[in-house]
Amino acid sequence: MENLTDQSTASEYLKEFIEDFFASKLSTVEISYSQNIFIIDHKDALFIPPLEEYEKVINSPDKFDSSTIATHQMMLESYIERVKFGHLQMLHTSLLTRIAQIKTVEVRIKGKFYFTITEQELY
């Protein structure tokens, strides 16, 4: 397998990956790759506003009762699992995953860590 050590090859595969999976969805991302860890940091995407709404409730114990907060926490966790599943589908269909020999994918939203996709999940 080809490794993404050649900067021009890496740039080309990353550019293609971004165009295929993010530009078409009007999503803004920053992507980096280092030591077999692929980091996707979403700056803007359609799935971000619901996450932010769940977190607003969870982080406002003075405004909401404990059952409302617990319900929103469960909804947030479920929503993150759906977002993770979407990322898995995207990565499974991408040649980049295999060519780059990616071991771990870390997904961040506006710089905040949300979840990791392990090598076992990727392959």
Side-chain angles (χ1 to χ4, degrees):
M1 279 195 168
E2 182 178 352
N3 201 331
L4 290 185
T5 52
D6 173 31
Q7 202 58 32
S8 63
T9 303
S11 295
E12 196 56 41
Y13 280 112
L14 289 174
K15 180 181 173 196
E16 188 176 305
F17 181 78
I18 290 169
E19 287 173 1
D20 288 349
F21 295 104
F22 299 110
S24 64
K25 294 174 179 59
L26 304 175
S27 180
T28 306
V29 295
E30 286 181 7
I31 292 180
S32 59
Y33 178 77
S34 175
Q35 299 173 338
N36 295 338
I37 299 174
F38 190 54
I39 299 171
I40 303 171
D41 190 355
H42 293 274
K43 301 302 180 185
D44 183 31
L46 293 175
F47 67 84
I48 293 176
L51 288 174
E52 292 174 331
E53 288 302 314
Y54 294 140
E55 288 180 341
K56 272 186 210 173
V57 173
I58 293 164
N59 296 323
S60 300
D62 54 323
K63 295 180 182 176
F64 300 97
D65 62 60
S66 60
S67 67
T68 300
I69 292 172
T71 300
H72 278 75
Q73 182 65 46
M74 289 187 314
M75 292 183 337
L76 174 65
E77 291 167 8
S78 173
Y79 193 74
I80 290 172
E81 283 302 312
R82 290 196 316 259
V83 171
K84 182 176 181 177
F85 181 74
H87 281 76
L88 273 168
Q89 286 184 311
M90 170 185 65
L91 291 162
H92 279 246
T93 60
S94 171
L95 286 176
L96 178 68
T97 306
R98 286 160 194 64
I99 292 169
Q101 299 175 338
I102 294 171
K103 302 289 183 210
T104 305
V105 177
E106 188 176 289
V107 177
R108 301 176 184 178
I109 299 169
K110 296 184 177 180
K112 179 182 173 188
F113 172 79
Y114 270 84
F115 58 87
T116 299
I117 298 172
T118 65
E119 182 177 12
Q120 291 77 19
E121 293 171 303
L122 284 171
Y123 302 104

